[in-house]
Amino acid sequence: MHWNGLIVFITLEGPEGSGKTTQAQHLADWLLARGYNVLAVREPGGTALGDAVRHILLDFSSTQMDARAELLLFCAARAQLVNDKILPHLIRGGIVVCDRFADSSLAYQGHGRGLELDILQQVLEFATYGLIPDLTLLLDVEVSTGLQRKTSGKDWNRLDAEALDFHHHVRNGYLSLAGNEPSRWEIINAELPFDEVATQIQRTVTNALKNPPTSAHHQASIT
Ligand code: TYD
């Protein structure tokens, strides 16, 4: 959703260990320092319901979770976040920086788990109130490099522990999503040092703020 040609809804996506979360926070701080009214959120989470669902989704005791149940839980957390936080902030005229959004479900539950993409698109449109990001930054990293970064960290979770094949499908899924919609996506090489990645993100966002896409995005509705 963008108002008066201004880019307002920015999402960061990427496979495991892409450094997305740190870069999302860095981007939000950078925009705040430039006087923008910024809300930074992450998925799943950001609301009481979202945090509870996040726990179920990432916990190792949920190993037998059905792929459709998994999708719907991510979508439940997403609908709550869109309704409670994202849309109200956009309607107030602010910018939202979101660490993962509906494209994560296309990459993980669609390309990763093999759920049918056409059906997924419909479920996602429903869960997001039709909201589509204005700009999506894909922080791309080789699967082995990303997983290596993650294993050395403390937040190893149920999805990280999936087979290598799954992670390859996710990464390739992201690349194909970005390739199909180049006006919305920007692919960033997340294997570069942190500062270089941050600079490239800032350059992309600066350009997008100056030259918003002309394609008609869905108008989100709020109840
Ligand atoms: P998190 O610890 O937030 O990982 P990251 O730092 O990589 O974002 O865990 C979120 C996990 O959930 C991550 O493995 C990606 C996965 N995920 C999905 O499978 N589908 C989704 O729709 C979303 C939002 C996340």
Side-chain angles (χ1 to χ4, degrees):
M1 177 157 87
H2 60 270
W3 304 105
N4 304 322
L6 185 68
I7 296 293
V8 287
F9 185 34
I10 301 170
T11 56
L12 285 88
E13 295 283 354
E16 305 304 334
S18 63
K20 213 174 26 45
T21 303
T22 329
Q23 290 290 354
Q25 194 51 57
H26 194 70
L27 171 63
D29 291 344
W30 182 80
L31 285 166
L32 270 174
R34 267 143 201 84
Y36 291 102
N37 176 17
V38 183
L39 172 72
V41 285
R42 72 157 179 193
E43 277 210 6
T47 64
L49 181 143
D51 288 338
V53 169
R54 178 182 177 85
H55 178 75
I56 298 170
L57 279 164
L58 302 188
D59 194 70
F60 279 100
S61 61
S62 308
T63 39
Q64 296 307 315
M65 192 181 293
D66 174 73
R68 295 180 190 206
E70 184 178 273
L71 167 72
L72 293 171
L73 284 170
F74 278 114
C75 283
R78 180 167 302 134
Q80 197 74 37
L81 183 66
V82 168
N83 188 59
D84 287 7
K85 300 274 175 77
I86 298 179
L87 279 179
H89 192 77
L90 293 175
I91 286 165
R92 282 194 298 270
I95 292 186
V96 174
V97 174
C98 193
D99 176 4
R100 294 196 182 282
F101 194 61
D103 295 303
S104 281
S105 294
L106 289 170
Y108 282 79
Q109 281 65 53
H111 292 272
R113 299 266 188 245
L115 291 182
E116 211 179 304
L117 293 175
D118 286 351
I119 295 176
L120 246 143
Q121 293 278 16
Q122 290 175 42
V123 174
L124 291 172
E125 185 174 356
F126 179 70
T128 58
Y129 291 76
L131 182 65
I132 296 177
D134 296 301
L135 172 67
T136 299
L137 303 160
L138 171 55
L139 272 63
D140 184 45
V141 64
E142 279 279 350
V143 170
S144 52
T145 315
L147 287 176
Q148 177 105 41
R149 284 180 180 171
K150 265 238 155 163
T151 17
S152 44
K154 57 177 168 27
D155 52 347
W156 186 252
N157 65 47
R158 184 178 66 88
L159 282 117
D160 298 326
E162 283 292 335
L164 257 190
D165 238 27
F166 173 83
H167 292 293
H168 281 290
H169 286 305
V170 169
R171 182 187 179 213
N172 292 335
Y174 269 130
L175 290 170
S176 106
L177 290 169
N180 288 342
E181 223 186 324
S183 62
R184 171 163 72 91
W185 289 76
E186 181 77 19
I187 302 176
I188 304 221
N189 178 2
E191 295 193 27
L192 294 171
F194 179 90
D195 286 348
E196 284 181 50
V197 175
T199 304
Q200 207 179 324
I201 290 175
Q202 289 162 8
R203 200 177 303 134
T204 303
V205 170
T206 304
N207 280 339
L209 287 167
K210 277 195 231 140
N211 306 302
T214 47
S215 60
H217 285 185
H218 289 214
Q219 182 75 25
S221 58
I222 191 164
T223 51

